[in-house]
Amino acid sequence: MTNIILLGPPGAGKGTQASYLVETRNMTQLSTGDMLREAQANGSEMGKKVAEVIARGELVTDEIVIGLIREKIAEGAEGGFIFDGFPRTLGQADALAALLAETGLKLDAVVELQVNDEVLVKRIVNRAEEARAAGKPVRADDNEVSVRIRLTEYYKKTSPLIGYYYAKGELKSVDGLQSMEEVQAEIAEVLG
Ligand code: AMP
C-alpha cells in the first residue's frame, strides 16, 4: 500500500497522473476539487456555499475540505490513497498528518510536479476550449481571470508546503513539463 500527495499548481497534471496511478496501481484518488464539484452538482447546502468561491478561483475553508478528506480516509483504500489537490494550506497539511496518524497510515511520498506559469495558464485555457468544442461542461474557474487568481492562491498558500515537506524529507520533485508518459515513468521510479 502506498499513500502519496500530488502537489503542484493548477494545470500541472495532478489529475492526469492520479488517473494513471488509479489504473496501474489500484490506488484511490481523493481529489477535493472533484468532491467539491460533486457537492455543487448535487445541489447540497455545502455545494451552494462554495460555488462562488470556487468560480472566483479562491480556496474554500480548511474546515470544509478536511471534513471531506476525513470521511474518505475512514473508508480505507486497499491500494493506498492519492491526495490530489489536498493539502493546499499548512493547516490542511497538519490536519492530514494527524488524520493519517490516527488511522495508522503512513505517507510514502509527496510528489511535486514542477511546471512554469505560462504553460499552466495555456493548458487550462486549452482545457476549457477543448471541453467547449466537444460539447462538454466547462469548469467555471477555467477562464484566464480565475486561473490567475488560482495561481496567486497557490503561491501564497500552497507553495509553502514544498518547504514543509522538503524539511520532513518527504518531497520528491518531478519535471512536469515532460510528456505525460515521461512524467508517469518518473513518478513510477520515485514510488519504486
Ligand atoms: P482543483 O480541481 O483541485 O483545481 O480545485 C478546484 C477548486 O476547488 C480550487 O480552486 C478551490 O476553490 C477548491 N479546492 C479544491 N481543493 C481544495 C483544498 N484542498 N483547499 C481549498 N480549496 C480547494
Side-chain angles (χ1 to χ4, degrees), residues 32-33 36-37 54 58-60 65 85-86 88 92 139:
T32 40
L36 292 166
R37 281 185 288 277
I54 294 175
E58 293 164 9
L59 294 187
V60 309
V65 289
F86 179 92
R88 263 177 155 98
Q92 291 176 26
R139 279 177 53 164

Side-chain angles (χ1 to χ4, degrees), residues 50-71:
V50 298
E52 279 181 27
V53 176
I54 294 175
R56 276 201 300 273
E58 293 164 9
L59 294 187
V60 309
T61 64
D62 284 356
E63 198 188 350
I64 288 177
V65 289
I66 291 165
L68 291 170
I69 288 287
R70 179 182 288 121
E71 278 175 32

Side-chain angles (χ1 to χ4, degrees), residues 7 11 20 24 43 50 68 70 79-80 91 100 106 124 126 135 145 147 153 157 160 165 168-170 180 186:
L7 190 61
Y20 181 73
T24 54
V50 298
L68 291 170
R70 179 182 288 121
L100 292 176
K106 188 177 136 285
I124 294 181
N126 274 347
V145 174
V147 171
E153 290 283 76
K157 298 173 184 168
Y165 287 117
K168 287 180 145 205
E170 291 168 339
M180 186 179 77
E186 214 177 308

Side-chain angles (χ1 to χ4, degrees), residues 99-135:
L99 281 172
L100 292 176
E102 267 171 38
T103 330
L105 295 175
K106 188 177 136 285
L107 191 61
D108 295 284
V110 178
V111 178
E112 182 212 356
L113 296 175
Q114 293 182 321
V115 282
N116 82 42
D117 299 340
E118 267 327 295
V119 166
L120 296 176
V121 178
K122 279 189 201 128
R123 275 190 187 174
I124 294 181
V125 172
N126 274 347
R127 174 164 82 188
E129 274 167 14
E130 276 172 22
R132 208 169 283 119

